[in-house]
Amino acid sequence: VTGLQAAFAIFLAICQVPTGYFADKYGRKRAMQIGAAITFVAEIIYAFGNSFNSFLLGELLIALGLSFIGGADVALLSDTLKSINAQEAFSRIRGRAIARLQIVSALCAAASGYLTVAIGFKGVFLLAALGPFIMFCYASKLVEVRIPKTETDAKRKTGFWRLVMQELWTNRYVRWLILLGACIQAFNQP
């Protein structure tokens, strides 16, 4: 289990930059839909998996799906609030969303033991697949606001990515910090 969680955390860290770039280039809504679809498939793989490799594939797909969703949802909210000149509401809305997520997670954790006895592991994973399915349907209904990009924004973004890539290739401490962060994340999974 620890090996699976370590693979999840490392792959999640690796996928953050490319999936964030995808969301910036092709749209946050599309990134959220892709992330939900991948996570749905991962839950199905978990439900029918019976080997370490199938569970590893499930973990890697969940990491990929979550990396598509993570950041895209926050950026979509931020862009929407910016478009209606209501940026000050961001912390309140985001805070409430996180609180609701924590409450639902706690309720699911409490119910999971009873559900596992009642419907088995396969049933629990199939039931868990409902979450990404609902998210996909919800994300399909979202309207993405287009914030006009300026030439300065493009130059700044290009410079930023050049700096990130340079640091990743030349600074071994940055690479070790990323690996350390992924390992810490892996050991902090429930």
Side-chain angles (χ1 to χ4, degrees):
V1 173
T2 303
L4 292 173
Q5 288 297 296
F8 167 85
I10 291 169
F11 197 63
L12 183 68
I14 290 169
C15 292
Q16 290 295 316
V17 172
T19 56
Y21 176 77
F22 179 93
D24 288 344
K25 186 165 178 76
Y26 299 106
R28 285 93 158 95
K29 175 182 175 177
R30 186 173 292 157
M32 290 173 63
Q33 289 173 307
I34 290 170
I38 291 171
T39 306
F40 175 81
V41 169
E43 294 291 351
I44 301 300
I45 288 171
Y46 250 114
F48 295 102
N50 58 3
S51 69
F52 178 82
N53 288 339
S54 61
F55 293 132
L56 178 62
L57 178 61
E59 283 291 316
L60 296 178
L61 287 176
I62 288 174
L64 180 61
L66 292 179
S67 69
F68 268 107
I69 297 165
D73 57 347
V74 175
L76 183 63
L77 174 60
S78 177
D79 289 349
T80 302
L81 292 174
K82 185 185 281 187
S83 74
I84 60 172
N85 202 21
Q87 295 98 318
E88 72 281 349
F90 178 83
S91 295
R92 179 176 44 84
I93 293 170
R94 182 77 176 133
R96 287 180 181 171
I98 291 170
R100 288 182 182 120
L101 175 65
Q102 295 297 329
I103 291 168
V104 169
S105 294
L107 292 173
C108 288
S112 65
Y114 297 110
L115 285 172
T116 302
V117 170
I119 61 177
F121 284 113
K122 186 181 290 188
V124 170
F125 284 115
L126 291 173
L127 192 59
L130 283 176
F133 177 77
I134 292 168
M135 182 178 190
F136 180 86
C137 295
Y138 178 74
S140 298
K141 299 286 186 186
L142 294 174
V143 176
E144 187 165 358
V145 176
R146 294 286 178 198
I147 305 292
K149 305 290 185 203
T150 65
E151 187 177 323
T152 307
D153 289 340
K155 287 180 182 175
R156 189 178 307 130
K157 189 177 284 187
T158 302
F160 170 76
W161 287 114
R162 188 174 294 125
L163 177 64
V164 167
M165 294 311 292
Q166 178 183 352
E167 286 299 312
L168 282 174
W169 290 116
T170 60
N171 192 333
R172 67 183 184 138
Y173 296 110
V174 170
R175 291 192 303 267
W176 279 108
L177 282 173
I178 290 170
L179 182 61
L180 176 64
C183 291
I184 290 170
Q185 176 68 24
F187 291 112
N188 282 331
Q189 296 297 316

